[in-house]
Amino acid sequence: MSHSFWLKLSVFSVLFSPLFAYGDVVISEIMYDLEEGSDSGREWVEVFNGGSSSVDLSGWKFFEGSTNHGLVLGQGSESLESGGYAVIVANQVKFLLDWPNYSGTLFDSSFSLSNTGETLILRNSELADVDFVSYIKEWGAAGDGNSLTKDSDGNFSGIAPTPGSGSLSVSSGSSESSGSSESSSSTSGSSPVSSAPTFKPKIFSYAGEGRVVTVGADTKFSGEAIGIVGGELINARYIWNFGDGMIREGENVLHSFKYPGEYVVVLDVASGEYSASDKIIVKALPAKLEILRGIDASIVLRNKENREIDLSWWYLKSGASTFQLPENTYILQNNEIIFSSSVTELPGFASLSLLYPNTSVAVSEGQTIVENQAVKSVVKEVVAPKPKANILAIVPQVVVENEEPPSPEIEANDQLAVASMATDEGSDLYKWLLALIALMGLGIG
């Protein structure tokens, strides 16, 4: 069965199943975000037995991060006595380094608590839900040295951590209450106050599981909302934040990531005054896919990556005809798929292409998908400057009377300079210069 089914079942069982025997064991304290140093292996969760009799915790599970984590006794006894506390730690060695004076019951496990909030479930040996807490950082204890601690009213708040001790008391129906002295705050004839946990009505959202997707390919994201009565929430509003700047609305949406990377995808669900959120991690990776024609007009897809690739709703295109691959079509790592022409009904002698679900071309025959995804550099055209126009300035020769004629050497030099200019400027200009020389000769004579 799907994960969403078990999520619905666990929420329904916690909200509407009677709390008996095991139900008196509750999560009483959560250290999820330490003030100094790394949180790795140093997080812990405290549980309290508020029942009238001891409870054997052997075989119990701590559900976190979609995993049932086992409990291994580190010190103390697996039987948690009435009114007793036990601590479930991510790493026993690191916990005892932080709390060297702790001598109570200790269970070693393996988990990592979210610093922004998540749902924690305590399950018995039959995997029945005993207690759960859906904490968020807004409750407090977000890296300030405090822990989330439960009070007698069933509320959590951030106060100084006290692993192995607290203010909770055994429920009024326990055997210990009959022998205890009357509380100074109680009044005659008043009924005892129960310390059983109280749950405020709330809804839950589910964004699915974290996944690896292909860059450029549309991926289907399906959300679920569970109402306060345990069933699916009708007419809820679904808002998806894909972490790449894109926001989409809808219970089922398609989205593609344009660049490789890890993205935090958040689903917000709202219905009236109630709201809830869930988040998953999506890793977008480029792919190496090839498409080519088989010898019998079949189409061959090759995966040259060391990972499985989801090809749901992609298209095979041959010429102008297309064939859409059905949902849940996968190609294994370093493997290939052969599609028969009798299935695709595509022409056997036309150009081949593999299209994304949005019908844009992913890869053509003779290429790979990563080649098409390469970032192309922008080449600027260099325009050579236009040559400036050559302007000929003609200076008239002024003849002064009684001026001595120039020497033969000067005249020869002038003629050579003019001849050189005539050669550079072209034949037409050369004619004008010859005429000018003739005029100068007349003037000298």
Side-chain angles (χ1 to χ4, degrees):
M1 297 183 180
S2 66
H3 173 83
S4 60
F5 171 80
W6 290 111
L7 178 62
K8 298 174 187 176
L9 183 61
S10 63
V11 172
F12 185 83
S13 62
V14 170
L15 291 175
F16 301 99
S17 297
L19 296 177
F20 58 90
Y22 297 133
D24 292 325
V25 180
V26 298
I27 297 174
S28 55
E29 190 172 352
I30 306 170
M31 173 56 81
Y32 70 94
D33 190 5
L34 280 76
E35 181 179 15
E36 297 180 355
S38 173
D39 296 346
S40 178
R42 300 172 62 202
E43 301 163 327
W44 48 270
V45 174
E46 179 193 77
V47 297
F48 171 74
N49 181 10
S52 59
S53 58
S54 61
V55 177
D56 186 4
L57 299 183
S58 60
W60 281 43
K61 303 294 183 182
F62 176 59
F63 180 85
E64 179 275 336
S66 303
T67 303
N68 284 317
H69 302 284
L71 304 182
V72 179
L73 182 65
Q75 65 182 39
S77 172
E78 291 183 335
S79 180
L80 186 61
E81 62 182 8
S82 174
Y85 289 88
V87 178
I88 304 172
V89 300
N91 185 292
Q92 180 177 346
V93 175
K94 292 184 178 181
F95 175 81
L96 292 176
L97 287 175
D98 289 337
W99 303 92
N101 296 326
Y102 182 83
S103 59
T105 302
L106 196 65
F107 288 93
D108 199 354
S109 188
S110 177
F111 56 86
S112 179
L113 303 181
S114 171
N115 287 348
T116 58
E118 62 176 314
T119 298
L120 309 178
I121 304 176
L122 192 62
R123 291 174 171 168
N124 62 22
S125 57
E126 298 175 354
L127 295 184
D129 294 349
V130 176
D131 187 33
F132 85 102
V133 176
S134 294
Y135 72 92
I136 55 177
K137 68 177 182 180
E138 285 73 17
W139 287 3
D144 56 5
N146 294 325
S147 64
L148 287 179
T149 303
K150 188 174 188 177
D151 58 26
S152 58
D153 294 327
N155 300 316
F156 282 85
S157 59
I159 63 175
T162 57
S165 62
S167 61
L168 298 183
S169 59
V170 177
S171 60
S172 59
S174 67
S175 58
E176 291 185 355
S177 63
S178 59
S180 61
S181 60
E182 185 179 89
S183 171
S184 60
S185 62
S186 63
T187 59
S188 175
S190 63
S191 59
V193 179
S194 171
S195 63
T198 58
F199 299 101
K200 296 180 180 180
K202 60 176 62 178
I203 64 174
F204 298 89
S205 66
Y206 177 61
E209 300 291 342
R211 67 196 76 176
V212 177
V213 301
T214 299
V215 173
D218 285 327
T219 302
K220 182 180 179 181
F221 292 85
S222 299
E224 295 184 49
I226 302 174
I228 59 177
V229 297
E232 284 199 38
L233 193 61
I234 307 300
N235 298 326
R237 186 181 182 186
Y238 297 78
I239 304 294
W240 295 86
N241 183 345
F242 291 98
D244 60 352
M246 181 63 69
I247 304 292
R248 294 186 183 275
E249 181 172 354
E251 183 176 355
N252 302 295
V253 297
L254 292 176
H255 180 70
S256 63
F257 296 93
K258 293 185 177 180
Y259 303 101
E262 286 188 321
Y263 299 88
V264 179
V265 178
V266 179
L267 170 62
D268 291 313
V269 175
S271 178
E273 61 178 321
Y274 301 102
S275 63
S277 64
D278 187 27
K279 68 177 182 178
I280 57 176
I281 304 298
V282 176
K283 181 180 291 186
L285 299 176
K288 283 187 178 181
L289 290 172
E290 288 185 341
I291 184 171
L292 60 153
R293 184 78 68 179
I295 58 176
D296 55 351
S298 60
I299 297 177
V300 181
L301 285 183
R302 288 178 179 171
N303 179 14
K304 304 176 75 173
E305 286 284 333
N306 292 323
R307 65 181 179 91
E308 181 182 82
I309 298 178
D310 184 2
L311 297 175
S312 299
W313 307 294
W314 291 46
Y315 290 89
L316 300 176
K317 183 177 181 181
S318 180
S321 303
T322 60
F323 173 79
Q324 187 173 32
L325 302 179
E327 185 178 4
N328 296 325
T329 300
Y330 297 90
I331 182 169
L332 299 176
Q333 61 182 16
N334 298 312
N335 214 318
E336 67 180 24
I337 302 177
I338 301 177
F339 298 93
S340 171
S341 59
S342 62
V343 175
T344 63
E345 298 182 352
L346 296 176
F349 302 97
S351 59
L352 284 177
S353 296
L354 178 65
L355 310 182
Y356 290 124
N358 61 6
T359 69
S360 63
V361 178
V363 58
S364 299
E365 188 174 8
Q367 296 179 324
T368 62
I369 195 172
V370 290
E371 291 173 352
N372 291 342
Q373 291 171 352
V375 178
K376 297 180 179 180
S377 59
V378 178
V379 180
K380 294 183 179 180
E381 182 181 2
V382 179
V383 180
K386 295 181 179 180
K388 296 182 180 180
N390 292 321
I391 301 175
L392 176 64
I394 302 177
V395 180
Q397 179 70 34
V398 178
V399 179
V400 181
E401 294 182 357
N402 301 325
E403 183 181 10
E404 294 182 2
S407 63
E409 294 181 356
I410 296 176
E411 181 179 357
N413 290 337
D414 290 343
Q415 292 177 354
L416 289 174
V418 171
S420 176
M421 292 174 59
T423 303
D424 293 337
E425 296 298 329
S427 59
D428 292 337
L429 185 60
Y430 180 72
K431 296 177 182 179
W432 286 100
L433 290 175
L434 288 177
L436 181 61
I437 292 173
L439 291 175
M440 291 175 63
L442 293 175
I444 294 172

